[in-house]
Amino acid sequence: MVPPSRLLSDATFLHRLHQLRTFIDARVKWVRDPYLDTVVSKEKDLKQIISLKNQILSSSLPLSTLSTFPVKFFLKYPTFFRIFQPSPSFPLHIKLTPQSLTLHKEESAIHSLPCHRDDAVKRLAKLLMLANARKLPLHVVDKFKYDLGLPHNNIKSLLADYPEYFQVCEITDPVTNKETLALELVSWRKELAVSEMERKVCNGDISNLRKGRCIEFPMNFPRGFDLEKKVKNWVEKWQELPYVSPYEDAFHLAPRSDLAEKYTVAVLHELLWLLVSKKTERDNVFCLGDYLGFGDRFKKALVHHPGIFYVSNKIRTQTVVIREAYKKDFLVQKHPLMGMRHRYIHLMNKSKDRSKQVRVPSLGSTGKRKVREKMTKEDDKCGSGEEEDSNESSDSEFQDFDSQETVKMET
């Protein structure tokens, strides 16, 4: 029998562990990773092109219905889009090229595979299970639709076929306090409540899982990056803390404690691992953090742990990448949809040489005049030339979004 004094000391230790926050007076520097920047840069415009492709598909649309995209965008990718005029009295229309339609059909075939559908459903269920949330507003789920590898009409084509997993309900939005529709997990899936970190440690045999064991997050840094010694010592001690499953509700932990931070990192790590490209826009991460109840803790985790996460400032946004998923600029575990997306990128790259000479085939003089007029109006609105993709000006931008946050440590 365990002596009462021992039980008391263990309880005291656990309480202190849940509350303890060690601090270091040092900044964790952000350093550019050229390989992961390349990963992000080569997908420039890919998401927008796939979105447009899904809107147009086999029919054609008047160019005016896609007014959020400048005509230069379509002229930039002639291997994907074709501008034409059905007749002199009709407005300009746009349709997909045979090459892009062929890729779409192959992508649709992947989405139709039973194994892929089951995989997509499990990814979506695990998203709803993070932090034991069980439900999220549909507009939040929609932000991750592309990254999770869901079909563009996912509610219609996927969710209705899995009523044992999902249902749509009405909730009060915890952020806006307005009524909204949400996607809800019908019942808890215990077999899915195993994180990637836990799966690796137990080698796929979940019967070997032990709650509260120490699991260290893989870390790597770009060449030329080195943590200060006191920061490095803090990280090593932090890694030795018990691992808290991202599928648990661990909000009883003191929000500023080291253990709570390890839980936050676990949730963020698992979120990125659920995504087919192991990355997503930073705004998506922060939006989900707000709805899960983490507030600014995701932001702090990104700043404190540059060896686990990388934030790229390429393509005029900030993208969060999980480092361990990549070897230089190559994805270690390729999802079938990523192979498909690389084929889209290849077709996009074929457009570069053709788009150097801006011309519109299959248009008469009236149609060409309309295109020129539309391009002139767009130039008058937003100026000529494209915005440069560079990290030069945004190096400090990432640091500034948490410029007051430091990592400190008691001596």
Side-chain angles (χ1 to χ4, degrees):
M1 181 176 177
V2 181
S5 59
R6 172 66 183 277
L7 290 174
L8 182 63
S9 62
D10 286 351
T12 303
F13 170 75
L14 288 172
H15 176 74
R16 291 190 61 190
L17 186 64
H18 291 178
Q19 305 296 322
L20 185 64
R21 177 64 171 176
T22 55
F23 289 106
I24 317 173
D25 289 318
R27 282 300 305 243
V28 180
K29 187 180 179 182
W30 178 86
V31 175
R32 182 188 307 176
D33 188 320
Y35 291 113
L36 294 182
D37 280 343
T38 299
V39 168
V40 174
S41 294
K42 65 186 178 184
E43 292 189 14
K44 180 183 178 182
D45 293 337
L46 175 62
K47 189 174 180 179
Q48 292 91 328
I49 279 183
I50 291 179
S51 175
L52 278 169
K53 180 262 298 178
N54 290 334
Q55 292 179 55
I56 302 168
L57 290 179
S58 57
S59 62
S60 64
L61 291 177
L63 199 55
S64 57
T65 63
L66 302 168
S67 56
T68 53
F69 289 87
V71 68
K72 278 186 177 180
F73 185 87
F74 299 106
L75 294 175
K76 183 179 177 182
Y77 296 106
T79 56
F80 261 91
F81 307 109
R82 183 184 170 207
I83 298 176
F84 70 103
Q85 192 174 21
S87 72
S89 60
F90 276 66
L92 294 174
H93 278 57
I94 188 161
K95 65 180 181 180
L96 299 178
T97 63
Q99 302 101 300
S100 55
L101 279 171
T102 297
L103 290 183
H104 170 76
K105 289 176 182 177
E106 294 181 21
E107 181 187 11
S108 298
I110 293 176
H111 283 299
S112 299
L113 291 172
C115 60
H116 174 78
R117 288 168 64 83
D118 289 345
D119 176 69
V121 163
K122 288 175 182 176
R123 288 174 188 272
L124 182 54
K126 286 166 79 77
L127 176 71
L128 297 177
M129 291 168 65
L130 287 176
N132 208 351
R134 299 174 186 253
K135 65 178 72 171
L136 286 170
L138 284 175
H139 67 85
V140 176
V141 174
D142 195 61
K143 289 179 179 292
F144 292 94
K145 177 175 66 177
Y146 173 84
D147 297 315
L148 284 168
L150 302 179
H152 73 280
N153 55 343
N154 59 301
I155 295 295
K156 184 177 180 181
S157 69
L158 190 64
L159 305 187
D161 295 335
Y162 292 86
E164 71 276 20
Y165 273 85
F166 311 107
Q167 65 184 12
V168 176
C169 62
E170 192 171 357
I171 64 168
T172 300
D173 191 304
V175 174
T176 65
N177 207 31
K178 295 179 180 179
E179 294 298 308
T180 188
L181 293 178
L183 187 65
E184 182 178 17
L185 193 69
V186 172
S187 60
W188 186 257
R189 299 276 168 169
K190 184 179 179 181
E191 73 279 6
L192 297 181
V194 180
S195 70
E196 177 64 17
M197 291 290 295
E198 291 172 318
R199 188 190 65 79
K200 286 180 178 177
V201 167
C202 69
N203 295 318
D205 184 3
I206 60 174
S207 62
N208 291 331
L209 278 180
R210 295 198 317 274
K211 188 176 178 180
R213 69 184 298 176
C214 169
I215 302 178
E216 297 188 8
F217 293 97
M219 300 180 69
N220 58 77
F221 299 95
R223 183 179 298 178
F225 183 92
D226 193 21
L227 288 173
E228 291 184 32
K229 186 175 180 180
K230 52 186 174 181
V231 179
K232 189 174 181 180
N233 291 339
W234 174 80
V235 170
E236 288 175 353
K237 291 181 179 179
W238 175 84
Q239 287 273 37
E240 294 171 357
L241 291 171
Y243 178 84
V244 182
S245 169
Y247 297 106
E248 289 184 28
D249 179 351
F251 289 104
H252 60 280
L253 299 172
R256 291 185 56 80
S257 67
D258 287 346
L259 192 57
E261 181 160 317
K262 190 157 187 181
Y263 170 61
T264 301
V265 170
V267 173
L268 187 51
H269 181 282
E270 183 71 359
L271 166 65
L272 292 169
W273 203 266
L274 292 177
L275 311 180
V276 295
S277 64
K278 315 305 180 195
K279 59 182 172 56
T280 189
E281 291 183 16
R282 188 199 67 176
D283 289 348
N284 295 344
V285 170
F286 291 172
C287 177
L288 182 65
D290 288 337
Y291 280 94
L292 292 181
F294 285 92
D296 64 352
R297 286 157 63 179
F298 276 178
K299 178 172 69 175
K300 292 177 180 178
L302 295 179
V303 173
H304 293 178
H305 301 283
I308 303 173
F309 311 111
Y310 177 67
V311 179
S312 172
N313 296 318
K314 288 294 185 179
I315 61 174
R316 303 184 297 280
T317 187
Q318 292 188 321
T319 304
V320 183
V321 188
I322 186 166
R323 287 188 179 275
E324 69 182 277
Y326 285 87
K327 186 175 182 180
K328 293 187 175 180
D329 57 344
F330 294 99
L331 191 59
V332 177
Q333 295 180 10
K334 263 186 191 169
H335 189 277
L337 278 180
M338 289 307 296
M340 203 67 238
R341 289 175 186 178
H342 289 157
R343 293 182 63 189
Y344 278 120
I345 293 170
H346 180 67
L347 185 59
M348 289 165 60
N349 291 336
K350 282 186 175 181
S351 293
K352 290 181 179 179
D353 292 335
R354 292 181 59 182
S355 62
K356 288 178 181 177
Q357 297 179 346
V358 180
R359 55 191 180 85
V360 186
S362 305
L363 284 182
S365 58
T366 304
K368 289 181 180 180
R369 187 186 74 248
K370 287 183 179 180
V371 171
R372 285 195 294 269
E373 289 173 353
K374 191 169 180 61
M375 290 173 65
T376 301
K377 288 179 182 178
E378 289 167 359
D379 285 343
D380 290 341
K381 283 184 179 180
C382 58
S384 61
E386 288 196 0
E387 188 177 347
E388 292 293 325
D389 286 327
S390 173
N391 277 12
E392 296 298 333
S393 61
S394 48
D395 185 335
S396 60
E397 180 185 346
F398 175 64
Q399 294 180 6
D400 288 345
F401 88 87
D402 197 46
S403 57
Q404 302 303 314
E405 179 65 23
T406 57
V407 189
K408 299 181 180 179
M409 181 176 185
E410 288 180 348
T411 56

